[in-house]
Amino acid sequence: MNLSQPSRRMVLASAAATAAVTFASPALAQGAARVVVIGGGYAGATCARFLQREGLEVTLIEPSASYISCPFSNAVIAGLRDMAQQSFTYEAIERQGVRIARQAAIRIDRAARNVTLADGSVLAYDRLVLAPGIDMRFDALPGYDMAASERLPHAWKAGPQTLLLRAQLEAMEDGGTVIISAPANPFRCPPGPYERASLIAHYLKTKKPRSKLLILDTKDAFSKQGLFTAAWKELYGDMVEWVGLSGGGKVVEVKADEKIFVTEFGEHRADVGNVIPPQRAGRIAIESGIADQTGWCPIDPVTFEARAQAGIHVIGDAAIAGGMPKSAFAANAQAKACAQAVALMLRGAQAPEPKLINTCYSLVAPDYGISVAGVYAPAKGLLTDIAGAGGVSPANASRAVRAAEARFADGWYKTITSEVFG
Amino acid sequence: MRQRKTAVFALTIGGALTALLPLSGAQAQSLRDVSAAPAGASACLGCHGARDTSLPALSPLSAADIETAMEQFRSGAREATLMTRIAKGFTPEESKAIAAWLSVAK
Ligand SMILES: Cc1cc2nc3c(=O)[nH]c(=O)nc-3n(C[C@H](O)[C@H](O)[C@H](O)COP(=O)(O)OP(=O)(O)OC[C@H]3O[C@@H](n4cnc5c(N)ncnc54)[C@H](O)[C@@H]3O)c2cc1C
């Protein structure tokens, strides 16, 4: 039974009973409007669910049978967590009444308003939501291509890469050197490389205490820097070393066979190397011309509609969301605001000015959490930080507060994954 | 299969009837009609939706409870690890509308 049927009928019934409502969309006047969502991650899966609740006919295009979550995957790398806790199916979403097309979208015809799937079938839409996440740029860092990522994993999409990095750490001798290279902004999960460094340091301190961890960074500043740096000193002593751009931290080439990171100042050899390369919006956003020359998609901050094409909305990591970071929290919040805008626009109503929230927790150790938060509203064409709100955890908080934030991180993960996949 | 309530409710924004939809059943508790959500409200559910986690679900609270808590977080009268930072991004009027929406559909 298709559960979307009753609610669709109800919308139409109530519409008929309400003379005051006028529908600008001919599609909805004839039957439920069709919305196609590309990508079943934190952004797309959330959006599909909330759109379906609005009585729309929603198809979610996603090739994978299960979703592997990046949030908390750094804990998997550090041996603190099982991969099973990162995996979610689309069953509940399908049960709710969202149609799932278990394939990749390979082409968007912007004029005809349809999407071609890998098997050649074509899905027509009244509005399209594009949420393909990121792709690694395997053309951006000399020496770092897909093959190199088998020696120097990125582990920036959770899955086999996560387990590869974990296995390499487990195989490393005590006294070895782990190197992480971090990219320039913007990239997925700004505090992610430093949370990863922290949890790897926790693993090394526990299991291989004579080892070193070196972070080579293309930036001179990073998310929650003061908190991370202080916590590294407090928890891990001299084990963690961070080298920023002006200190010679920018990696300009890697030699995967020898696990060598080349900077402008010299070479560093790793026993385990993790390259977090530059990224761009998922391929379909590039190929359909929705992304600009930066590789990301400019959007209207009220409707999330692509600047390049009316009727196509972009959410999650693929979008240029102004001050909002590329996070799962942000993707989920954008998805709900976007579902609201799409539902209202399909009824001929105007999308209201949204307000968005982001919160990113990072674990510096299993019982030591820190956070950054922000509140955002449209201003000058972008989602912009509201001054005076947000910010990071206090520098002088007690260990009890850090422990509470670690527990809240766990609560956030349970809550959001139940909203998106439960 | 989950239970589907047949109740229908109407919400008004700026005088125009914008939504007439059935309420959800059990399962993911935070899945609800967003078309009439006031600015900022749906984002709260990212942390405060599910029960039995380390973060409080808001649905057992009344609108007045939520509004008061937001006011106290904003003024600093009540301490929190994070909500003091979030509350400063919302005006009293916005908080009131958000509280009303979040307390509906328990
Ligand atoms: C190590 C790490 C830790 C992180 N920790 C946190 C955290 O603690 N908190 C937080 O908020 N965020 C965290 N993040 C960030 C978070 O993972 C991303 O911001 C989030 O996944 C973005 O969601 P999305 O839906 O935009 O993209 P994704 O989650 O990547 O989903 C995109 C989906 O689209 C699908 N897709 C792509 N192309 C197509 C196509 N052509 N056709 C059909 N489907 C397609 C993909 O298969 C994928 O399922 C972390 C990231 C990393 C790497």
Side-chain angles (χ1 to χ4, degrees):
Chain A
M1 173 188 159
N2 182 349
L3 286 180
S4 72
Q5 294 298 344
S7 54
R8 198 187 315 158
R9 267 203 306 279
M10 204 136 347
V11 168
L12 294 173
S14 52
T18 313
V21 178
T22 49
F23 289 107
S25 162
L28 194 55
Q30 288 154 18
R34 297 154 306 175
V35 184
V36 170
V37 180
I38 298 179
Y42 281 98
T46 304
C47 199
R49 296 196 100 165
F50 281 88
L51 286 165
Q52 192 277 337
R53 294 260 318 136
E54 297 296 324
L56 299 163
E57 192 182 304
V58 183
T59 305
L60 176 62
I61 308 175
E62 168 60 57
S64 305
S66 59
Y67 178 77
I68 317 280
S69 170
C70 286
F72 278 84
S73 67
N74 286 330
V76 175
I77 290 167
L80 297 164
R81 202 175 163 89
D82 277 341
M83 204 58 169
Q85 291 169 276
Q86 302 302 113
S87 299
F88 301 89
T89 74
Y90 294 96
E91 280 163 24
I93 300 176
E94 197 164 19
R95 251 195 329 272
Q96 183 195 328
V98 174
R99 287 195 196 131
I100 312 249
R102 201 146 281 137
Q103 296 184 57
I106 56 165
R107 204 166 64 83
I108 300 168
D109 187 330
R110 288 160 53 175
R113 293 182 168 238
N114 64 41
V115 180
T116 304
L117 307 184
D119 71 354
S121 59
V122 176
L123 287 176
Y125 61 80
D126 295 301
R127 285 187 177 270
L128 176 69
V129 177
L130 195 51
I134 60 159
D135 275 335
M136 306 305 144
R137 289 191 49 187
F138 284 119
D139 59 348
L141 176 61
Y144 199 68
D145 56 13
M146 188 93 88
S149 73
E150 295 301 316
R151 292 250 327 143
L152 299 170
H154 54 75
W156 219 240
K157 283 190 184 183
Q161 281 272 310
T162 311
L163 295 174
L164 178 60
L165 184 54
R166 173 177 169 158
Q168 289 186 353
L169 284 167
E170 284 167 355
M172 189 182 85
E173 305 275 334
D174 189 8
T177 299
V178 179
I179 299 181
I180 298 176
S181 79
N185 296 320
F187 64 100
R188 160 175 285 181
C189 196
Y194 315 97
E195 178 189 65
R196 175 171 293 174
S198 307
L199 294 180
I200 290 178
H202 174 80
Y203 168 79
L204 295 175
K205 186 183 168 187
T206 319
K207 299 276 170 57
K208 293 163 188 175
R210 294 188 297 112
S211 309
K212 287 275 305 172
L213 176 77
L214 174 64
I215 307 161
L216 297 171
D217 212 324
T218 311
K219 305 178 287 302
D220 267 330
F222 62 88
S223 176
K224 304 180 227 183
Q225 185 165 6
L227 293 169
F228 273 118
T229 309
W232 289 338
K233 194 101 223 126
E234 180 187 346
L235 301 175
Y236 307 120
D238 294 329
M239 183 179 262
V240 180
E241 185 189 356
W242 174 79
V243 183
L245 176 66
S246 34
K250 182 181 178 182
V251 174
V252 294
E253 185 189 350
V254 292
K255 298 175 184 167
D257 288 346
E258 304 147 275
K259 298 195 176 175
I260 287 176
F261 290 68
V262 184
T263 68
E264 280 157 351
F265 289 58
E267 297 193 346
H268 303 266
R269 208 195 61 78
D271 296 292
V272 173
N274 169 212
V275 175
I276 304 170
Q279 298 144 35
R280 56 170 170 71
R283 188 169 152 187
I284 185 93
I286 311 281
E287 288 175 351
S288 57
I290 300 301
D292 69 8
Q293 70 287 349
T294 65
W296 307 100
C297 306
I299 53 164
D300 178 283
V302 175
T303 61
F304 297 87
E305 237 171 350
R307 297 284 186 200
Q309 178 66 60
I312 298 183
H313 303 250
V314 190
I315 50 173
D317 285 0
I320 299 176
M324 294 191 89
K326 298 187 186 304
S327 75
F329 192 112
N332 168 266
Q334 290 162 14
K336 286 177 270 190
C338 178
Q340 179 173 26
V342 167
L344 290 173
M345 289 165 91
L346 284 168
R347 288 173 207 162
Q350 217 181 336
E353 292 245 327
K355 247 185 171 176
L356 291 121
I357 301 174
N358 179 64
T359 297
C360 286
Y361 288 102
S362 299
L363 294 178
V364 188
D367 61 349
Y368 191 120
I370 55 177
S371 62
V372 61
V375 185
Y376 309 85
K380 300 199 178 95
L382 286 172
L383 284 165
T384 306
D385 264 288
I386 290 173
V392 298
S393 310
N396 55 1
S398 67
R399 281 303 289 270
V401 166
R402 303 294 190 220
E405 291 222 280
R407 283 196 305 279
F408 294 152
D410 175 70
W412 166 75
Y413 185 72
K414 288 190 175 123
T415 304
I416 197 161
T417 53
S418 103
E419 177 170 289
V420 183
F421 298 104
Chain B
M1 187 186 292
R2 79 192 163 96
Q3 286 273 292
R4 183 168 266 279
K5 289 191 203 158
T6 49
V8 174
F9 71 106
L11 286 167
T12 308
I13 289 183
L17 199 53
T18 53
L20 276 169
L21 292 162
L23 294 176
S24 84
Q27 157 227 41
Q29 291 168 41
S30 58
L31 282 186
R32 57 174 88 183
D33 168 29
V34 283
S35 61
S42 62
C44 304
L45 302 173
C47 282
H48 303 284
R51 287 172 208 263
D52 305 323
T53 81
S54 55
L55 298 165
L58 297 178
S59 51
L61 301 179
S62 71
D65 290 341
I66 299 172
E67 196 185 336
T68 305
M70 284 289 278
E71 190 50 54
Q72 292 175 339
F73 288 139
R74 203 165 20 244
S75 71
R78 186 169 163 187
E79 283 187 27
T81 53
L82 192 107
M83 277 310 297
T84 44
R85 290 177 260 161
I86 303 276
K88 292 191 181 79
F90 293 93
T91 65
E93 296 70 37
E94 287 171 333
S95 304
K96 190 183 179 78
I98 290 171
W101 187 78
L102 287 172
S103 63
V104 167
K106 290 185 183 174

